[in-house]
């Protein structure tokens, strides 16, 4: 293939070429320069004029905005199908933007002046390019939270038993009105009605690179393209696929994951940055926990757990929603739920999560502070919400001795903290699971008193993540970890919606149990005469102080949330854990009432995946 033909084929892989005839493609191809970049290559240096537009065919670029001292203020990533320079080149003046290749990348560079001539000559090219620039502006305005569907997705199976996952996905996409194109290694693969299938390699029918390019370019005109293959290919083919794809699911089971470690290590040696594209997909049996498998997890940017069948005893539907989370990833959607602190009132979160689940809204990620960390982690581990409510009612019920004491619930809470009783209580349900093993990605928020900064736990012992986040000062001493002294995260970020946005969520539901605060403390009200006012206990004072602080700082973390649920739990004591069932019922009712509005907001995010609520 000569250079012009190669550039024509590459152009066909980019959205700017949609609808262009061969004559237009050839003229544009003659005007662009083909660039192949390695990780670390500089595409544009800060404070130099941007005179060209770059079309990203494969790979990923990192854009860094720098100040006059050269310090990075912020950074964004652009991947296949994007463009760089469409606005900056208009100014033709120095721009404080550094552009660097993050992955092995293929670009087409076009001088801005020549590109302007071509957009005037070819109306379709002008429309396509204007849409690309407009999308870039929208993403800047909305902080990159608009869904971006990966155009080329790979499924790599360690064994045939995981192919059920990709096949079900293709079927579901067809149901949603899509026309997925599937490149497979199966000669006897059953075609899925409404999809397009082509044997890419295997059984002596290997397609050439040019043939694959032509097929992919043709299919991308009307939908997403998927590669669906086992790990029996050679390393060069694996690396070529990973270079071209936007997202790769490496599919394993708890029995065969070790076999993937060697191949992934070899792939990472070629381009370490590719790990960000790779998601380990675990196909698990009902009731089965994903292995910790650190050797494998260290080679991938994330993981996803999928299971089919029916829940076992006390297991909820969380793990069985894994397939829906897969669909969300392929559609560019990520729904997060931020659960705030609020002592016993945070038990309302269990009802919120139950109502979302029953309404068919699948949660992709959870972040929690204090009580939100405890309820969120238990739910993310796969426990049925009603079962979790029952457990908390029983486990946090004061023993007979404390029930005989005045303010016994408060003394019992102090006893639980001082004697370290929360750890064994939680391990009955979470065992020694790490956060990485949970069915839903979970992030717990705590505060490090040494640096005075918020700490987000996304891995490590799940129980430790909870204990650090609920560790109320005075009731307990700081928990010391290597160079850190950790206490309740609600002191600095009570509703961590911002954590979820930073983790890539583009729709965030925040739950606040401290937004509504009654004007009453220790049974004293604003109109209580001084002679009749009651003295508050130390524990009451501490908890009320945290409640007042949380109410006033809620706006810090909750600000980027798309929707806020505020269950009215003002009638409950902050130590009233034995009323967890009542609190959960209030959370469930508040969420049920909010479901129509949430669904209509999600409809704007993806109209096919989330039908509008019709009452």
């Amino acid at each position: 293939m000569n250079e012009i033909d190669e550039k024509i084929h590459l152009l066909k892989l980019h959205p700017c070429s949609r609808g262009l005839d061969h004559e237009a493609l050839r003229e544009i191809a003659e005007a662009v320069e083909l660039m192949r970049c390695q990780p670390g290559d500089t595409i544009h240096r800060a404070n130099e004029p941007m005179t060209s537009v770059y079309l990203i065919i494969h790979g990923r670029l990192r854009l860094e905005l720098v100040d006059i001292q050269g310090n990075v203020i912020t950074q964004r990533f652009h991947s296949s199908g994007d463009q760089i320079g469409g606005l900056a080149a208009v100014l033709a003046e120095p721009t404080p933007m550094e552009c660097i290749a993050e992955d092995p990348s293929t670009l087409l560079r076009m001088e801005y002046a020549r590109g302007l001539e071509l957009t005037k000559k070819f109306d379709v090219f002008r429309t396509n390019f204007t849409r690309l620039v407009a999308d870039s502006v929208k993403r800047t305005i909305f902080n990159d939270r608009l869904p971006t569907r990966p155009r080329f997705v790979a499924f790599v199976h360690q064994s045939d038993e995981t192919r059920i996952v990709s096949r079900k996905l293709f079927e579901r996409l067809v149901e949603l009105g899509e026309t997925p194109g599937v490149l497979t290694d199966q000669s006897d693969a059953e075609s899925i009605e409404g999809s397009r299938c082509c044997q890419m390699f295997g059984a002596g029918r290997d397609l050439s690179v040019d043939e694959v390019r032509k097929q992919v370019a043709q299919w991308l005109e009307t939908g997403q393209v998927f590669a669906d293959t086992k790990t029996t290919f050679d390393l060069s083919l694996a690396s070529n696929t990973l270079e071209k794809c936007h997202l790769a699911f490496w599919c394993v089971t708890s029995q065969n994951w070790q076999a993937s470690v060697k191949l992934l290590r070899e792939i990472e040696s070629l381009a370490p940055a590719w790990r960000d594209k790779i998601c380990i997909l675990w196909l698990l049996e009902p009731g089965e926990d994903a292995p910790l498998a650190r050797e494998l997890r260290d080679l991938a940017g994330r993981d996803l757990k999928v299971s089919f069948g029916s829940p076992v005893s006390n297991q909820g539907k969380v793990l069985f929603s894994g397939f829906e989370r897969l669909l969300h990833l392929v559609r560019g959607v990520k729904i997060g739920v931020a659960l705030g602190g609020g002592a016993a009132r945070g038990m309302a979160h269990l009802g919120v999560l139950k109502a979302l689940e029953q309404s068919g809204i699948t949660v992709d990620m959870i972040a929690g502070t204090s009580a939100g960390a405890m309820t969120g982690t238990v739910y993310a581990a796969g426990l049925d919400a009603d079962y979790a409510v029952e457990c908390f009612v029983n486990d946090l019920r004061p023993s007979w001795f404390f029930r005989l004491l005045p303010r016994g619930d408060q003394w019992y809470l102090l006893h639980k903290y001082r004697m370290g009783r929360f750890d064994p209580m939680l391990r009955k349900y979470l065992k020694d699971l790490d956060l990485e093993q949970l069915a839903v990605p979970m992030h717990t928020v705590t505060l490090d008193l040494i640096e005075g900064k918020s700490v987000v736990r996304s891995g490590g012992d799940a129980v430790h993540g909870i204990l650090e986040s609920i560790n109320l000062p005075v009731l307990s001493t700081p928990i010391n970890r290597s160079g850190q002294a950790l206490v309740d995260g609600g002191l600095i970020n009570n509703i961590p919606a911002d954590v979820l946005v930073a983790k890539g969520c583009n729709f965030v539901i925040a739950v606040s149990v401290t937004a509504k605060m009654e004007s009453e403390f220790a049974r004293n009200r604003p109109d209580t005469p001084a002679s009749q006012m009651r003295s508050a206990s130390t524990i009451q004072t501490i908890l009320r102080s945290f409640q007042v602080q949380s109410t006033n700082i809620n706006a810090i973390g909750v600000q980027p949330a798309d929707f806020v649920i505020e269950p009215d739990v003002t009638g409950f004591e902050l130590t009233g854990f034995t009323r967890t069932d009542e609190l959960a019922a209030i959370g469930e009712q508040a969420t049920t009432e909010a479901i129509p509005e949430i669904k209509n907001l999600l409809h704007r995010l993806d109209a096919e995946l989330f039908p509008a609520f019709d009452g």
Side-chain angles (χ1 to χ4, degrees), residues 158-438:
Q158 186 60 53
S159 65
D160 282 331
E161 59 190 303
T162 58
R163 287 193 190 266
I164 185 177
V165 180
S166 53
R167 181 174 179 82
K168 283 182 175 290
L169 176 71
F170 304 148
E171 291 172 345
R172 182 68 184 280
L173 290 174
V174 170
E175 290 174 2
L176 291 171
E178 302 294 325
T179 311
V182 182
L183 296 165
T184 182
D185 62 344
Q186 289 186 296
S187 58
D188 58 348
E190 296 180 29
S191 60
I192 297 169
E193 186 176 353
S195 70
R196 298 156 298 181
C197 187
C198 175
Q199 186 182 353
M200 180 169 57
F201 48 82
R205 295 182 57 192
D206 295 8
L207 296 182
S208 68
V209 173
D210 288 347
E211 289 173 319
V212 172
R213 281 178 176 173
K214 289 178 181 178
Q215 187 66 83
V216 170
Q218 179 185 343
W219 284 349
L220 283 176
E221 286 278 342
T222 54
Q224 289 173 293
V225 176
F226 298 85
D228 191 55
T229 177
K230 285 179 67 175
T231 58
T232 50
F233 45 57
D234 61 32
L235 184 60
S236 62
L237 182 57
S239 60
N240 185 59
T241 300
L242 280 175
E243 180 181 349
K244 303 299 188 292
C245 75
H246 307 142
L247 178 62
F249 294 100
W250 205 277
C251 307
V252 297
T253 68
S254 58
Q255 287 75 42
N256 67 19
W257 64 267
Q258 295 93 337
S260 287
V261 174
K262 180 181 178 182
L263 180 55
L264 276 175
R265 280 179 178 161
E266 291 174 341
I267 289 172
E268 187 189 39
S269 68
L270 297 175
W274 286 346
R275 71 182 301 277
D276 294 333
K277 296 182 181 183
I278 300 172
C279 176
I280 305 299
L281 191 154
W282 298 91
L283 180 60
L284 303 172
E285 295 295 328
E288 182 182 21
D289 294 319
L292 185 54
R294 289 211 178 276
E295 308 99 303
L296 187 62
R297 293 178 191 275
D298 289 344
L299 299 168
R302 68 191 111 171
D303 77 346
L304 176 72
K305 292 89 175 178
V306 175
S307 185
F308 302 111
S310 301
V312 299
S313 177
N314 302 324
Q315 186 181 25
K317 299 178 181 178
V318 176
L319 179 61
F320 301 91
S321 300
F323 177 77
E324 200 68 17
R325 292 186 193 94
L326 168 64
L327 181 60
H328 285 188
L329 276 174
V330 170
R331 304 278 291 188
V333 171
K334 188 178 287 187
I335 301 172
V337 175
L339 306 175
R345 296 178 178 183
M347 298 296 104
H349 295 320
L350 292 169
V352 172
L353 293 167
K354 176 184 175 181
L356 290 173
E357 180 182 286
Q358 290 183 331
S359 70
I361 297 174
T362 298
V363 176
D364 299 301
M365 186 178 291
I366 302 173
T369 299
S370 196
M374 184 160 66
T375 53
T377 302
V378 167
Y379 179 81
L383 288 183
D384 177 70
D386 287 335
Y387 175 66
V389 167
E390 180 184 337
C391 291
F392 281 126
V393 168
N394 294 329
D395 289 339
L396 295 172
R397 175 180 170 81
S399 63
W400 65 271
F401 173 76
F402 289 98
R403 293 201 300 271
L404 295 176
L405 296 177
R407 297 170 176 167
D409 56 341
Q410 299 171 31
W411 289 111
Y412 180 67
L413 185 62
L414 178 62
H415 168 75
K416 294 280 279 189
Y417 272 107
R418 292 292 174 87
M419 300 305 292
R421 297 296 174 84
F422 280 106
D423 189 306
M425 180 193 87
L426 292 166
R427 289 202 187 277
K428 288 190 297 183
Y429 314 108
L430 297 174
K431 299 171 284 189
D432 292 321
L433 290 174
D434 277 18
L435 290 168
E436 297 97 323
Q437 295 175 269
L438 305 187

Side-chain angles (χ1 to χ4, degrees), residues 147 333 335 361 506-509 561-564 594-607 610-613:
V333 171
I335 301 172
I361 297 174
N506 47 22
F507 189 86
V508 176
I509 301 168
D562 299 279
F563 192 87
V564 181
I595 290 299
E597 189 172 352
I598 294 173
K599 285 191 171 181
N600 285 331
L601 289 172
L602 288 171
H603 178 71
R604 300 177 191 175
L605 200 67
D606 188 320
F610 305 105
F613 186 81

Side-chain angles (χ1 to χ4, degrees), residues 76 135-148 331-336 497-498 500-510 557-563 604-606:
R76 299 175 60 204
D135 284 344
S136 295
V137 173
K138 281 198 298 183
R139 294 190 186 287
T140 301
I141 295 173
F142 292 103
N143 296 318
D144 281 340
R145 292 178 64 189
L146 294 175
T148 301
R331 304 278 291 188
V333 171
K334 188 178 287 187
I335 301 172
D498 58 330
L500 294 170
V501 171
K503 298 290 183 181
C505 289
N506 47 22
F507 189 86
V508 176
I509 301 168
V558 78
Q559 187 174 9
D562 299 279
F563 192 87
R604 300 177 191 175
L605 200 67
D606 188 320

Side-chain angles (χ1 to χ4, degrees), residues 20-57:
L20 292 175
D21 58 28
H22 186 74
E23 177 189 349
L25 284 170
R26 175 165 288 277
E27 188 165 346
I28 295 170
E30 290 173 346
V32 299
E33 173 192 352
L34 174 59
M35 299 176 61
R36 299 192 189 278
C37 307
Q38 295 303 311
D41 288 354
T42 299
I43 313 303
H44 179 264
R45 297 190 182 280
N47 300 316
E48 293 183 359
M50 176 77 81
T51 59
S52 299
V53 176
Y54 299 86
L55 305 179
I56 308 175
I57 309 302

